[in-house]
Amino acid sequence: MAGRTATRQAVGLLVVVSFEGGAVHDVVIRGGSVVDGTGAGRRTADVAISDGRIVAVGADIGAARQVLDADGLLVLPGWVDIHGHYDGQALWDPLLETSSAHGVTTVVSGNCGVGFAPVQPEQRAWTISLMEGVEDIPAVVLEQGLDWRWSTFPEYLDALDAAPHAIDVAVHVPHAALRVYAMGERGIDHAEVATDEEVTTMARLAAEAVDAGAVGFSSSRSRNHVASDGRLTPSFSAGAAELRGIAAAVGRTGKGVVEINVDTANLDGDLELLVGLCEASGRPVSMGLLQRPGQGNRFRQVLDAFAAAGGKGHRLLGQAAARPTGLLQSLAGRVNPLAASTTFQEVYQTDPAELHRAEVKAKILAELSGDADLTSRFPLAFELGDPPRYDRPPAESLAARAAAAGIEVNELVYDVLVGGGFVYVPVSNYLDGDLRAVHEMLVHPCTIPGLSDGGAHCTMIADFDYPTFLLSYWGRDAPEELRMTVEWVVQQQCAATAALVGMHDRGTLLPGRRADVNLVDFERVGSTAPEIVRDLPGGGARLLSHGRGYVATLVAGEVTYEGGVYTGALAGGLARV
Ligand SMILES: [Zn+2]
């Protein structure tokens, strides 16, 4: 043990391990600045943990077998992220690293109506193609990673339960899977209307899933949600009777939520449907909320309608993103502006170092010149940089920088990409060229932090670090007039998210709650620049970044990350609600 302690000190970590005589607790986190998640102001206190639970917060709370020195650190509940897509990965990867490396201790999956249960054997390939198309998780990864030990949703939960986990994972029962399970091939076609009997079957299966521990039911009506064969997601135009029938059955269980992805292209119809889901279920309903291109500030009308529905006793919430949502373009990613050049393709495969040679660059740029400039589809494209910056003003766009330097924007895009960087293209939440719309959504009483999409969009979106961004940007780096208190951020991303999905045992640092805790160096907290790693089954690639400033993360009282390094602890599991 002494050797282990010495190793920690050698790499400059702040966690101290010691053994106190007369220990009464498993762990005491000593002397940190405790932000407990209730919204109360921070206070210097010790946090005592036994049997995976917080047992006391205060002064003089007794000795422990393990003491973590939190002097100078924030002591926060672990993040509870309600919008992930780890439905497959949670079966083969205990770490769920894109989330766990950012202090997330509970992640909810099965969002947006897609997932892998219930499923008939003949529908397995199709559920993979839907996940591949909707969430950009390569089919080869899922084909190699899934062992299909289940058919029903309760059996899927049991499979998740049996798999080792470093953090907690919970899941929704997804509409697409329910529909195809109940309707067979017909259900794949969103235009097919479910019969009364089929609606009854879906409703029964959804209730069965929630009774078995699913956090709720998810669906999607997004035109962007398309299977890899080009077909719209099966729930795209599912009728009100179908949705209300399922929602009502969930409601009869007395628990569960409804999560739905809606484009708001048909605002009145969509709002009517959402209110209808509240009426039918009596449960909270949340929807991805964005400032969408072509829709101006329609999100305000959505929020006004949610507030009005709240006045009638409904709980309608927008899941708000922590920043503009968009694409990360890169040489190794799915979206690569140089991919149309045959010379690029050849050189990148054979000898990527050649890309730095001036003649090769000129040849590739000449081949791409027919495409006008590489940012023409997205005029506001930025160099992401290291550390990554998601708040650059239009004056720092690649087009503006190229103009100022008197060079073609294509050349600048080339240099960023070949230099190993990312071109960041904000698509939603950036219509005004700043993050004010994001702020407006985040602070609205009818929103909750969401949409991080951990586990999805493997090589083109890296929003899994939203919780880190909420704390580092909105809690520290944002312009002063927009900055949020750490207490508020923590209350939102821990307690409010946990409460929404019915996990009342976590999200705050109060006696009796699960000991999911982050020790954070607030000055340092942030994200490393994303990189693409090939560690998914079948050699699949994904974007990965790590949280900085997370001195330690505890899951159920066990240190899971120390100084950003995974300890091997497997204290998480399936969280049944
Ligand atoms: Zn999603």
Side-chain angles (χ1 to χ4, degrees), residues 109-123:
S109 200
N111 284 285
C112 299
V114 290
F116 301 111
V119 65
Q120 302 285 8
E122 64 274 19
Q123 296 156 354

Side-chain angles (χ1 to χ4, degrees), residues 4 62 83 107 126 128 221 246 251 259 323 357 401 412 475 487 515 517 538 570:
R4 198 171 157 219
H83 199 120
V107 64
W126 178 81
I128 286 178
R221 306 175 81 74
I246 298 169
E259 184 270 346
R323 62 185 182 230
R357 276 184 45 212
R401 282 172 53 192
L412 190 50
E487 285 80 355
V517 189
L570 293 169

